[in-house]
Amino acid sequence: MLSIKTPLWNAVLNASCYKLSNMKLAYPLIFFIALSFGCQNKAEKKVNLTPFLNTHFKNTLVNKKFTTEKLIGLTHDESDYVLSNYRLIDTSMAAEWAGNTIKFIDSTHFVSAYQAWCGNDCFRSVFGRYQFIDSLKVRFITDSITRSGDCEAPTVYGGKPPLDLYLVERPDGILQLNHRDDQSHKQ
């Protein structure tokens, strides 16, 4: 074997050994850095299950309670709903009043329920969410339906398509929820 012992060769040999030993350290170091950055906990992305709320449409129903002929969200028939202000002149009337109401609990939730002073009846309640799709169109989403009293049954959750209704004010000042927006003057 021929051996070359020149200062230039020694310098090249030393430099290549130096690079090789640094590479042996560099690969584990690069691997460790990549592993530590790749395994960091990332901020969890929270999924919002409630529908997108259009905040630029004024919600005129918040914290209001109305009487209705039918429960809203129980069925999807084509009937319209007249919303009469729920007012009791005095508390003695509460003991004799029976009927359907809808309460807009906050800016997103409602309860439509049958209320009666006696316990011998079928008490149904619809719990759900609502949102203004535009300035007059309100979307109702039924989350659950409960039955108690004479028609007691297990709670039914979801399963109904959204109900879109148009909020209109009749000429006599009474609010109505209609299936079509062209029925705003229906009496």
Side-chain angles (χ1 to χ4, degrees), residues 70-75 101-103 105 109-114 123-129 140-147 156 160:
K70 297 173 66 174
L71 296 180
I72 296 175
L74 185 63
T75 63
T101 62
I102 184 164
K103 169 119 175 91
I105 300 168
H109 296 91
F110 75 93
V111 176
S112 184
Y114 175 75
F123 297 94
R124 294 180 293 195
S125 299
V126 177
F127 298 89
R129 294 167 281 147
F140 291 89
I141 300 165
T142 300
D143 291 330
S144 65
I145 299 171
T146 61
R147 291 174 172 84
V156 177
K160 292 192 176 287

Side-chain angles (χ1 to χ4, degrees), residues 81-93:
Y81 304 90
V82 175
L83 303 178
S84 303
N85 284 328
Y86 179 79
R87 280 182 260 171
L88 295 177
I89 297 169
D90 60 45
T91 55
S92 65
M93 288 182 67

